[in-house]
Amino acid sequence: MRHFAIVGSGPAGFYTAEALAKAYGDKARIDIIDRYPVPYGLIRFGVAPDHQSLKAVSRRYDQVAEGEQVRFVGNVVVGRDVSAEELLGLYDAVILAIGAPHDRKLGIPGEDLTKIFDPFFTTKEVGKGTGLGLSTVYGIVKQSNGFIWVYTEPGRGTTFKIILSLIPDPPSLLGDEAPR
């Protein structure tokens, strides 16, 4: 019997669990460990949950999680609740399937978008803009219990994704990972 620990329950974690379950069958026990109480990465937060491709991914994750050899262990932070050394002592293999905890600066234009929603922030020349447009949009979206994401790529343009809730005062499910 092989015992595997996968740290991270997003796509990389579940695809790894699926591959291990196929490769080892009933000769494997797989624990998927995550710092959050529920699995599935961004899908857990309802990011476009009605999109057909995400429904298919969620169903695929469910199939993996329902396998007898897979167990989800939530609310566990490696380094706080259990050390890497302890995991290595308990499992035949420990797989880290997590994203970076923080963004890393790459030194490319447009990477620092943290101020774009601040009043009076502008990248235009003096007198060519007030810097109030995006802060106004941000205010409207937030007052409507919505979220706004920004994607930018030099030479290709910028895309804004806005999601507005139909439910007044919805509970916050996104915690620290909520977009601005």
Side-chain angles (χ1 to χ4, degrees), residues 21-101:
K22 283 183 182 176
Y24 291 93
D26 61 359
K27 302 227 183 307
R29 292 293 172 257
I30 304 161
D31 288 343
I32 300 175
I33 301 167
D34 201 286
R35 65 185 174 135
Y36 293 108
V38 293
Y40 303 169
L42 288 177
I43 293 174
R44 84 178 117 228
F45 297 125
V47 177
D50 58 337
H51 194 278
Q52 290 304 315
S53 64
L54 286 182
K55 283 183 180 179
V57 169
S58 185
R59 283 191 298 273
R60 186 169 178 176
Y61 289 178
D62 287 340
Q63 288 174 344
V64 172
E66 290 168 1
E68 288 185 26
Q69 70 265 48
V70 178
R71 178 173 66 162
F72 174 74
V73 182
N75 279 331
V76 174
V77 176
V78 176
R80 182 190 73 195
D81 302 316
V82 64
S83 71
E85 292 78 22
E86 288 173 301
L87 289 176
L88 290 169
L90 294 170
Y91 295 95
D92 295 308
V94 177
I95 298 108
L96 298 179
I98 56 175

Side-chain angles (χ1 to χ4, degrees), residues 134-157:
L134 288 178
S135 65
T136 301
V137 169
Y138 178 78
I140 292 168
V141 169
K142 286 294 153 187
Q143 288 174 4
S144 302
N145 295 314
F147 299 99
I148 184 167
W149 285 268
V150 181
Y151 306 94
T152 187
E153 191 173 335
R156 295 193 53 124

Side-chain angles (χ1 to χ4, degrees), residues 93-170:
V94 177
I95 298 108
L96 298 179
I98 56 175
H102 306 288
D103 290 339
R104 183 173 58 96
K105 299 287 185 187
L106 299 175
I108 60 173
E111 73 177 339
D112 189 11
L113 299 174
T114 59
K115 296 184 180 206
I116 65 169
F117 296 114
D118 292 353
F120 307 109
F121 176 79
T122 183
T123 58
K124 298 178 183 172
E125 300 171 21
V126 175
K128 297 286 183 178
T130 63
L132 291 174
L134 288 178
S135 65
T136 301
V137 169
Y138 178 78
I140 292 168
V141 169
K142 286 294 153 187
Q143 288 174 4
S144 302
N145 295 314
F147 299 99
I148 184 167
W149 285 268
V150 181
Y151 306 94
T152 187
E153 191 173 335
R156 295 193 53 124
T158 300
T159 300
F160 290 86
K161 182 177 181 180
I162 298 173
I163 296 178
L164 300 174
S165 175
L166 296 175
I167 303 169
D169 299 321

